[in-house]
Amino acid sequence: MNVYFDFLIKASVSIGIMYVLYWLLLRNLTHFKANRYFLLASVVLAIICAAFPLKYEVLMQAPAVMQSSEYADQFQRDVANTIVQQPEDSSISIWGILLAVYSIGFALVLLRLLIQSWKPIQIIFRTTPKKIDDYLLHENTVYKMPFSFFNRILIHPEYFKQNEINDILTHEKVHIQERHWIDLFIIELLTVFFWFNPFIWLFERAIKQNHEYLADKGVLSRGQSPVRYQALLINQLMGTKVIGMANHLNFALGPTRFKMMTKEKCSKRKLYRMIWLLPVLALLMYSFAQPEYKVQAQGQKKNETKTVIVPDNKELEHNLTDGTIVTIPGGTTLTYPVKSKKNKGEVKKNDETKFDVSDSKVPFKVKNKKGNINTLSNVEKPKTSKKVPARIKGTVKDENGNPIQGASIILKGSTMGTITDADGKYEFEKPVGENGGLIAIHPGYEQKSNSLSHESGSDYLKHDFIMEAVDSDDKKDQQKAIKVSGTVKDVNGNPMPGTSVVLKGSTLGTVADRQGKYEIEIPAGSKVAFVASFVGYQTHATKGSLPETNKPMEVNFTMKREVIGISANDLKKAGDVPPPPPPPAPETPKDSDELVFYIVEEMPQYPQGFYGLAQHVKKQSANIKESFFFEGKTLKGNATVGFTVNPKGEVNNIQILKKSNEVAAEAAKIIASKMEAWKPGSQRGKKVAVDFAMELEF
């Protein structure tokens, strides 16, 4: 509701500014038709600016605060979901009072509009209209004054006895011809929503007054004498106003309206005053613009570029970082990436490395070391298209066509991947921008890799692997290796499939299968020391020991849940300003034949990262403090609230782990319960639940 009130305030300010602009510059002009469009457009644009603010992107990096908390033993995981909302029967807050007042005003103004419109609608449906000059007239004895209502004219039968009947009908016909009812419908609807804003009522009066100027102009343009017409209007002065959504003959009848009938037509140059709408509109859009925070993943960095500017009537031969020679003609600006793997050899138009050529219609040549020449120009720059994540799927089988379960499928150069199921099948989502191939790894089989390619007639990327068992020479080498196997279970004895088990200090590892079992071979002479990890559980590391023989060994793991701690101090620091961009990413290691095991784990993340979580705590703390004030409570002290982010990203299992007083504990529960959905944690592509303990200070 606070968001809606924020919109109402911004829109009201915009409406006020727009009306002041009209009152200062245009209200005395005789360009009534232009004024009509200005009035309607300005009030609508004022509301659009407030309802749809511009967004500007802010990149930020979340600080590394995900550390294990001391509340692991205290956290209760068999507690039912306890999402807490503020009591409905609590004392009325300031927002509740404002909402009640606004709702009453909204209902009264809407009811007024409906009551005023109901009687004319009844008359239109119950009477047979007369057709005069293609216009429909409804005679009635309810209203003394004639008026136009949408595309109909309602008139008292006595008016047909008057000599001025033609002038009266001409006046109302102008309203219908120019569809003034559209303006009235829009402005009357806006008065319902912005009934509290005096400027919306001034806009309504200005629009109706301008309609009468247009109708008067239409009557006088047909040869009617201004003096005689003014006398007619004075005779109708005692008529009563009917409804808001109708045009009345005697509306705004006074010196100003009479003056406008005889006023000399203004110069068209004065219409240029309407241009002031553009800077005012730009100022409003700038004032209401909102930041859109995007979290930049750790190690991600913006592409660094260099720019070379060549003066006119000169030519420059420039060497790029990979040795490519670029001949740049005069008057050209060339921007190119400092580092690019794609810029090896001949440069092609469909290459991902873009050469941005500006301020020149002359093409430039790109020449590589081999002497191949390619010519690019402005008109040849490739068009970009929006990239979306793709799904990768396939199967892994052995030489005999049998499915291989538990094989690791990893996207080259990343930690993204998954494992195969009992049928040897796998599937996961490829991030945008990741174009490397795939690697298939499984103990006892040779490592396989391939490049990405689309499956014909499908939106998926299809990749199957045939893995070969190690040959006889490898088997001889295996006799010198130590076979280690075991199980990974939780404290309740349940198997934990997908757990990463890695030989300590190496890149050799595997994952547990559906029964929590794993098997791995390590080189002879290695210390038997393993590290088992799973998102949401404490990392388990065994002590190193040298085996006495090369006989198979068994190493079992019991994994305990961990609670991720978020300190109050880190929340305060992150909530002040968006974090700076992250440091440059480390260099990607060169391709190697060495078997590398990738640990594919991802912690849960709040929208906009840790900064977004800090902003949520800050905003909710202020709202709760204000609400508690009206309840006679003082929000001070500290509390630590525990909660679980489930595989759907929902926050549940909320519990207080530590508190200095009951008020602080109540506030902590409310803050946790009002969190948005998180991006859930995952272990090798499978969503998992993770526990948190968040410390709050008030």
Side-chain angles (χ1 to χ4, degrees):
M1 186 51 65
N2 294 4
V3 175
Y4 183 64
F5 282 143
D6 181 64
F7 157 71
L8 290 178
I9 293 171
K10 289 180 178 178
S12 297
V13 172
S14 301
I15 290 171
I17 293 174
M18 292 298 188
Y19 181 79
V20 170
L21 186 65
Y22 166 78
W23 191 86
L24 292 175
L25 301 178
L26 304 173
R27 66 186 175 95
N28 290 324
L29 297 187
T30 57
H31 300 289
F32 305 131
K33 185 165 288 189
N35 281 358
R36 176 196 177 188
Y37 296 137
F38 180 90
L39 283 167
L40 193 60
S42 60
V43 70
V44 172
L45 289 174
I47 295 173
I48 291 175
C49 284
F52 305 100
L54 293 178
K55 304 284 186 180
Y56 58 94
E57 184 177 302
V58 177
L59 292 177
M60 57 190 181
Q61 173 66 32
V65 295
M66 300 300 185
Q67 300 176 353
S68 183
S69 168
E70 70 273 16
Y71 295 101
D73 296 331
Q74 187 178 343
F75 200 96
Q76 301 177 20
R77 294 180 183 84
D78 56 346
V79 180
N81 293 355
T82 56
I83 295 183
V84 180
Q85 300 291 344
Q86 284 185 275
E88 296 294 337
D89 57 349
S90 60
S91 301
I92 299 177
S93 66
I94 186 66
W95 294 113
I97 296 173
L98 289 175
L99 177 60
V101 173
Y102 175 79
S103 300
I104 292 172
F106 180 95
L108 290 176
V109 177
L110 180 61
L111 185 62
R112 159 188 165 271
L113 185 61
L114 294 176
I115 292 175
Q116 290 180 345
S117 303
W118 179 244
K119 183 61 71 174
I121 292 174
Q122 280 186 317
I123 293 173
I124 290 174
F125 280 100
R126 290 179 179 178
T127 60
T128 302
K130 292 182 178 180
K131 194 171 185 181
I132 300 178
D133 296 337
D134 296 329
Y135 294 98
L136 299 177
L137 283 77
H138 293 265
E139 293 185 16
N140 73 97
T141 57
V142 178
Y143 302 110
K144 295 181 180 180
M145 280 292 298
F147 63 92
S148 59
F149 185 77
F150 289 91
N151 61 342
R152 307 294 178 100
I153 298 175
L154 276 69
I155 190 168
H156 197 284
E158 292 295 327
Y159 274 88
F160 288 100
K161 301 177 183 179
Q162 298 183 16
N163 296 328
E164 299 88 354
I165 182 62
N166 289 331
D167 295 331
I168 293 173
L169 292 179
T170 301
H171 180 98
E172 300 305 332
K173 289 175 183 177
V174 173
H175 288 307
I176 296 174
Q177 280 179 339
E178 298 187 0
R179 293 181 175 85
H180 290 167
W181 66 267
I182 296 176
D183 307 19
L184 295 180
F185 181 80
I186 293 174
I187 194 62
E188 289 295 334
L189 191 62
L190 292 179
T191 59
V192 175
F193 288 92
F194 296 94
W195 60 266
F196 57 89
N197 184 2
F199 289 103
I200 200 68
W201 300 102
L202 293 174
F203 255 113
E204 181 196 34
R205 179 176 176 79
I207 288 174
K208 291 181 177 180
Q209 187 180 53
N210 193 67
H211 286 173
E212 298 309 316
Y213 293 162
L214 287 166
D216 293 342
K217 181 181 177 181
V219 174
L220 296 176
S221 66
R222 288 166 171 78
Q224 177 63 274
S225 168
V227 176
R228 185 172 178 274
Y229 182 61
Q230 290 173 358
L232 168 64
L233 295 177
I234 294 174
N235 289 336
Q236 308 300 327
L237 188 59
M238 298 307 294
T240 57
K241 182 179 178 182
V242 186
I243 61 172
M245 262 199 312
N247 292 109
H248 311 287
L249 186 67
N250 65 343
F251 182 83
L253 193 59
T256 304
R257 184 170 170 186
F258 289 157
K259 180 181 176 182
M260 285 297 185
M261 293 183 195
T262 56
K263 186 176 181 180
E264 185 179 350
K265 190 174 181 180
C266 298
S267 170
K268 288 187 177 181
R269 291 183 180 179
K270 292 187 177 181
L271 285 176
Y272 287 113
R273 296 179 183 180
M274 291 187 179
I275 296 178
W276 279 100
L277 177 64
L278 298 179
V280 171
L281 193 61
L283 180 62
L284 290 174
M285 294 172 67
Y286 175 79
S287 302
F288 298 153
Q290 296 178 354
E292 190 174 50
Y293 296 102
K294 289 190 177 180
V295 179
Q296 200 169 16
Q298 183 68 31
Q300 181 183 352
K301 68 173 182 177
K302 192 175 180 180
N303 289 336
E304 298 179 11
T305 60
K306 282 189 177 181
T307 301
V308 178
I309 302 175
V310 184
D312 294 334
N313 303 321
K314 289 189 178 181
E315 188 175 79
L316 175 67
E317 189 176 83
H318 183 71
N319 292 327
L320 302 184
T321 53
D322 67 341
T324 301
I325 302 173
V326 182
T327 303
I328 312 173
T332 300
T333 300
L334 171 64
T335 303
Y336 64 94
V338 174
K339 296 178 181 178
S340 173
K341 289 185 177 181
K342 294 287 185 179
N343 192 23
K344 294 181 179 180
E346 184 178 357
V347 177
K348 299 179 181 178
K349 286 192 294 183
N350 61 351
D351 193 278
E352 287 190 358
T353 301
K354 303 295 191 304
F355 292 92
D356 184 14
V357 185
S358 59
D359 302 327
S360 174
K361 296 181 180 179
V362 183
F364 68 93
K365 298 178 181 179
V366 178
K367 181 179 180 182
N368 65 9
K369 294 179 180 179
K370 297 181 180 180
N372 297 326
I373 296 178
N374 199 351
T375 302
L376 299 178
S377 65
N378 289 6
V379 295
E380 292 179 316
K381 285 191 294 187
K383 296 181 180 179
T384 59
S385 60
K386 185 177 181 181
K387 296 182 178 180
V388 296
R391 301 292 301 180
I392 304 176
K393 69 176 183 179
T395 58
V396 180
K397 298 181 180 180
D398 61 17
E399 299 167 283
N400 299 320
N402 301 315
I404 299 177
Q405 179 182 358
S408 298
I409 309 298
I410 308 296
L411 190 62
K412 282 184 181 179
S414 74
T415 58
M416 291 296 300
T418 185
I419 57 175
T420 56
D421 59 17
D423 299 322
K425 296 180 180 180
Y426 71 91
E427 182 176 335
F428 68 99
E429 188 176 88
K430 178 183 75 70
V432 174
E434 296 287 351
N435 296 314
L438 297 178
I439 302 174
I441 305 171
H442 192 283
Y445 293 87
E446 293 184 0
Q447 176 180 330
K448 292 291 184 179
S449 63
N450 65 7
S451 57
L452 300 177
S453 62
H454 281 278
E455 181 185 19
S456 177
S458 172
D459 294 332
Y460 285 86
L461 298 175
K462 177 74 173 178
H463 302 281
D464 296 330
F465 291 91
I466 302 296
M467 301 191 72
E468 300 175 358
V470 292
D471 56 23
S472 57
D473 292 335
D474 291 328
K475 290 178 181 178
K476 293 178 182 178
D477 293 337
Q478 287 179 20
Q479 295 175 0
K480 300 178 183 179
I482 303 171
K483 184 177 181 180
V484 181
S485 61
T487 60
V488 184
K489 299 181 179 180
D490 61 16
V491 292
N492 297 320
N494 301 315
M496 292 188 58
T499 303
S500 299
V501 181
V502 183
L503 181 64
K504 197 172 183 179
S506 74
T507 57
L508 185 63
T510 186
V511 293
D513 61 17
R514 290 184 177 181
Q515 287 75 41
K517 297 179 180 180
Y518 75 93
E519 185 177 306
I520 188 172
E521 292 182 346
I522 64 175
S526 300
K527 281 189 177 183
V528 182
F530 291 95
V531 177
S533 63
F534 196 99
V535 170
Y537 287 78
Q538 298 177 18
T539 300
H540 192 337
T542 63
K543 294 182 179 180
S545 61
L546 286 171
E548 297 180 359
T549 64
N550 288 343
K551 292 182 179 180
M553 295 183 63
E554 183 176 346
V555 178
N556 299 320
F557 294 91
T558 300
M559 305 292 288
K560 296 181 179 180
R561 294 281 299 187
E562 79 169 338
V563 179
I564 306 302
I566 304 174
S567 71
N569 189 41
D570 288 332
L571 281 173
K572 288 180 180 179
K573 290 180 180 178
D576 293 337
V577 292
E587 292 290 336
T588 304
K590 296 181 179 180
D591 296 338
S592 172
D593 294 334
E594 179 185 357
L595 188 65
V596 178
F597 178 76
Y598 293 90
I599 300 177
V600 188
E601 299 174 355
E602 188 175 357
M603 292 297 296
Q605 189 177 66
Y606 194 73
Q608 300 181 9
F610 194 71
Y611 174 79
L613 178 61
Q615 289 297 314
H616 166 77
V617 171
K618 184 177 180 181
K619 179 181 178 181
Q620 290 298 327
S621 297
N623 292 342
I624 294 170
K625 188 173 184 179
E626 181 182 24
S627 175
F628 281 8
F629 174 79
F630 288 97
E631 299 176 18
K633 301 177 184 177
T634 302
L635 181 57
K636 283 187 178 181
N638 56 72
T640 300
V641 59
F643 58 90
T644 301
V645 177
N646 67 18
K648 295 182 180 180
E650 301 167 344
V651 175
N652 56 24
N653 195 22
I654 299 173
Q655 50 193 282
I656 297 300
L657 306 177
K658 183 180 178 181
K659 62 184 178 182
S660 62
N661 56 70
E662 292 298 333
V663 176
E666 183 181 356
K669 278 190 174 183
I670 294 173
I671 289 174
S673 68
K674 290 184 177 293
M675 287 183 184
E676 298 180 40
W678 292 55
K679 179 183 178 182
S682 64
Q683 179 82 12
R684 293 190 167 270
K686 182 181 178 181
K687 308 301 182 184
V688 297
V690 179
D691 300 324
F692 287 87
M694 184 167 64
E695 180 185 353
L696 300 170
E697 290 183 357
F698 305 105

